[in-house]
Amino acid sequence: MQTGSVTTPFGRRSMTLALVKRQVATREIKAGKSVEKWKVFRDASEARETLGLQSTSLAVLDALLSFYPENELRQEAQLVVFPSNAQLILRAHGMAGATLRRHLALLVESGLIVRKDSANGKRFARKNNAGEIENAFGFDLSPLLARSEELALIAQKVVAARFAFRKAKENLTICRRDVRKLISAAMEEGAQGDWAAIEAIYAELVSRIPRSPTMEDVAAALDEMELLRDEIINRLDDQQNSQFNSTNDAQFGQHIQNSNTESFNELEPSSGKELGAKPSRPKVEPLKAFPLGIVLKACKQLADYGPGGAVGSWRDLMSAAVVVRSMLGISPSGYQDACEVMGAENAAVAVGCILERANMINSPGGYLRDLTRRTERGEFSLGPVIMALLRKNAGELPKAV
């Protein structure tokens, strides 16, 4: 690219063809065009990296705009500001003179301002007899007006990219958490398979995520992590298929039959006197909570009873379970027993599973009490039930919750 040079009080400054073109473009602004100056500044701030600017450059631009007296940049107005370096340094919070000159040059190179030099390189304005400015020499703000739409578009793209990046990182975090919990649950429940090798694959994948990842890094890691999660779910699903079909359906039928024959009053006494003194329970290792996304995919109806008709956290899920407990006629004491034995989260999940099978269970209270007793004896796991409901709902796991 051809360049020339111009001598200024601060040394020789190159003049590129691109800069010349920008200066010409400022003289071709559409008649009557105007824009709010601080809106353009906000757009330029969002587009900072795209324009090759630093935060200090924006501080200098902010100072320059503060010398323009009106709130709007208008095509027919005089858009040249002419503060001295001393005034600019003051408005820029005591910035060093060399730093000020460097960032003024960056603003010119980025095409946000244009220098309008006088013969001696000084910045000043000539006024007529009426005190109106006829000509001014300093920094022309016309490029901000000329490029206002372009800057707004760049800012929108930057904001959209930032939102997409944040969402991708959130999805990656949730997926990582799901995979970690699934591997731990598989190991602790003794599921068949080389889970140590799968855990090593997970650890290797996590180790490849940079400390400060780009969007490309996050997207690639998320794709691999989702594939690993799907593979783990498929393995667990395949193992539970035959086991659940041969045993769990029979267990569900036995629960339902027992629910039909037991007296509701016997299962859910209304006072402590009817129960007598509660025998001390043996300490039972709590069931392992599944990822929230998996639970919501298996227990689709439960979300309808959350705060505002949605479930976004475990707290919301447990609130929804309390509503469903009352709706199904499960006594507070029965639900409290389940919480003590299973843990609050797993008791809420159990209620969600009962809700999904409500049309097959005559006494949900008796059913939950039976699950609680089986859990105390170490004979019940939520895993097969959740996997069966996932197959029944025939859907993929949600990517984010």
Side-chain angles (χ1 to χ4, degrees), residues 125-138:
R126 289 198 182 99
K127 298 182 180 180
N128 58 22
N129 294 332
E132 298 173 343
I133 296 177
E134 286 186 335
N135 202 0
F137 302 93

Side-chain angles (χ1 to χ4, degrees), residues 83-197:
S84 65
N85 277 7
Q87 290 173 314
L88 275 174
I89 287 172
L90 186 62
R91 294 279 178 97
H93 309 291
M95 184 181 298
T99 303
L100 174 70
R101 291 190 291 273
R102 183 171 67 254
H103 288 285
L104 283 171
L106 284 174
L107 290 171
V108 172
E109 290 171 11
S110 66
L112 294 184
I113 61 173
V114 172
R115 293 181 187 270
K116 186 179 179 182
D117 293 328
S118 63
N120 61 4
K122 301 293 185 180
R123 302 171 202 152
F124 64 92
R126 289 198 182 99
K127 298 182 180 180
N128 58 22
N129 294 332
E132 298 173 343
I133 296 177
E134 286 186 335
N135 202 0
F137 302 93
F139 297 102
D140 189 353
L141 304 177
S142 297
L144 290 172
L145 177 60
R147 300 179 64 188
S148 59
E149 295 90 351
E150 176 193 352
L151 293 173
L153 183 60
I154 295 174
Q156 290 173 8
K157 290 181 179 179
V158 169
V159 171
R162 186 187 304 134
F163 176 80
F165 185 44
R166 184 170 64 250
K167 191 67 176 177
K169 289 199 295 184
E170 289 175 358
N171 289 344
L172 178 58
T173 299
I174 292 169
C175 192
R176 283 178 59 180
R177 188 183 303 136
D178 286 353
V179 171
R180 177 68 270 172
K181 287 184 177 181
L182 285 169
I183 292 174
S184 298
M187 287 180 167
E188 290 163 1
E189 294 191 9
Q192 294 179 0
D194 190 354
W195 294 105

Side-chain angles (χ1 to χ4, degrees), residues 130-271:
E132 298 173 343
I133 296 177
E134 286 186 335
N135 202 0
F137 302 93
F139 297 102
D140 189 353
L141 304 177
S142 297
L144 290 172
L145 177 60
R147 300 179 64 188
S148 59
E149 295 90 351
E150 176 193 352
L151 293 173
L153 183 60
I154 295 174
Q156 290 173 8
K157 290 181 179 179
V158 169
V159 171
R162 186 187 304 134
F163 176 80
F165 185 44
R166 184 170 64 250
K167 191 67 176 177
K169 289 199 295 184
E170 289 175 358
N171 289 344
L172 178 58
T173 299
I174 292 169
C175 192
R176 283 178 59 180
R177 188 183 303 136
D178 286 353
V179 171
R180 177 68 270 172
K181 287 184 177 181
L182 285 169
I183 292 174
S184 298
M187 287 180 167
E188 290 163 1
E189 294 191 9
Q192 294 179 0
D194 190 354
W195 294 105
I198 294 176
E199 186 175 37
I201 294 173
Y202 167 78
E204 192 273 334
L205 177 55
V206 171
S207 69
R208 286 193 279 113
I209 303 174
R211 182 178 295 273
S212 299
T214 63
M215 180 63 181
E216 291 72 21
D217 295 329
V218 174
L222 179 58
D223 286 343
E224 292 188 63
M225 195 67 72
E226 287 177 339
L227 287 174
L228 180 59
R229 182 181 63 182
D230 292 343
E231 175 64 21
I232 293 172
I233 290 297
N234 288 337
R235 290 192 182 196
L236 293 174
D237 197 19
D238 290 342
Q239 290 181 28
Q240 296 295 339
N241 242 340
S242 58
Q243 178 186 351
F244 188 84
N245 289 336
S246 61
T247 61
N248 268 0
D249 283 340
Q251 291 172 3
F252 266 114
Q254 184 179 359
H255 293 323
I256 296 166
Q257 184 178 1
N258 291 341
S259 298
N260 290 335
T261 57
E262 291 176 337
S263 166
F264 185 82
N265 290 329
E266 290 175 357
L267 287 168
E268 303 183 53
S270 58
S271 68

